[in-house]
Amino acid sequence: MTISLDGRVAVVTGAGRGLGRAYALALAARGARVVVNDLGTDPDGRGRDASPAERVVAEIRAAGGTAVADASDVADPDAGAAIVELALADFGRIDVLVNNAGIFGNQPFSASTLADFERYWRIHLGGHVNTSSAAWSHMIAQGGGRIVMTESAAGLYGLPGQATYAAAKGAVHGLMRTLALEGAEHGI
């Protein structure tokens, strides 16, 4: 049985490469109209390049799907809201939000400062909060939706050299569990 997402709208953050790209392509292949968000940084969060999101949009369109690119920074609350507003402006709704954007790097705890932790929290947890918060009221108004959060085994079990990343992903896990409980009565 094939899942049809015809008429649905999905936003995927961090969709220019890797898992995010795979999520965006899979949603589009099932008929969803997709907002492909990617700031286009290096894996460690440096730089900025809109072309990864644009390439995924071109792939989706070449396969007969519908998509738009967005290079907003999910860590910025205004940009998180702008990503959702783009979905509403271009497609009229938001049914699926896949929070996938994040950074990764090796840094032992002994070499980590609170500022390093804050950087990971801002991108991973803050990005998830910013986009989910922007989508939440729209999903309630339309009677439901789906929010997917990409976490990591590092956040559940730990990983040497990854204290900053693991702490941020652990926070994402707690956020996801709480939103599942609060969203249940609204079909989210």
Side-chain angles (χ1 to χ4, degrees):
M1 181 170 71
T2 301
I3 297 171
S4 173
L5 297 175
D6 290 342
R8 304 291 184 179
V9 175
V11 171
V12 183
T13 68
R17 302 179 190 103
L19 289 174
R21 175 182 168 271
Y23 300 147
L25 294 173
L27 290 162
R30 286 161 179 78
R33 294 167 288 171
V34 183
V35 175
V36 177
N37 163 266
D38 200 297
L39 184 58
T41 68
D42 293 336
D44 67 357
R46 296 184 194 344
R48 188 175 188 141
D49 179 7
S51 65
E54 292 166 355
R55 282 193 298 271
V56 174
V57 167
E59 283 184 75
I60 290 170
R61 290 178 179 167
T66 304
V68 294
D70 177 83
S72 299
D73 182 356
V74 297
D76 175 345
D78 293 332
I83 297 165
V84 172
E85 289 302 320
L86 176 62
L88 297 170
D90 280 24
F91 304 130
R93 58 187 297 123
I94 179 169
D95 300 288
V96 178
L97 170 60
V98 180
N99 285 306
N100 177 70
I103 60 172
F104 185 81
N106 289 314
Q107 184 175 19
F109 178 71
S110 61
S112 301
T113 65
L114 183 57
D116 295 323
F117 280 90
E118 289 172 342
R119 181 171 175 252
Y120 276 80
W121 294 336
R122 186 178 54 80
I123 294 166
H124 289 272
L125 180 61
H128 285 48
V129 168
N130 294 335
T131 54
S132 297
S133 178
W136 196 258
S137 63
H138 298 288
M139 289 183 175
I140 289 173
Q142 60 191 40
R146 300 291 179 262
I147 298 176
V148 177
M149 299 195 182
T150 304
E151 54 177 305
S152 168
L156 297 174
Y157 308 110
L159 186 64
Q162 298 298 319
T164 52
Y165 177 78
K169 287 300 193 178
V172 165
H173 180 80
L175 174 65
M176 178 214 40
R177 299 292 302 163
T178 300
L179 292 186
L181 295 170
E182 292 185 15
E185 69 182 277
H186 304 291
I188 300 173

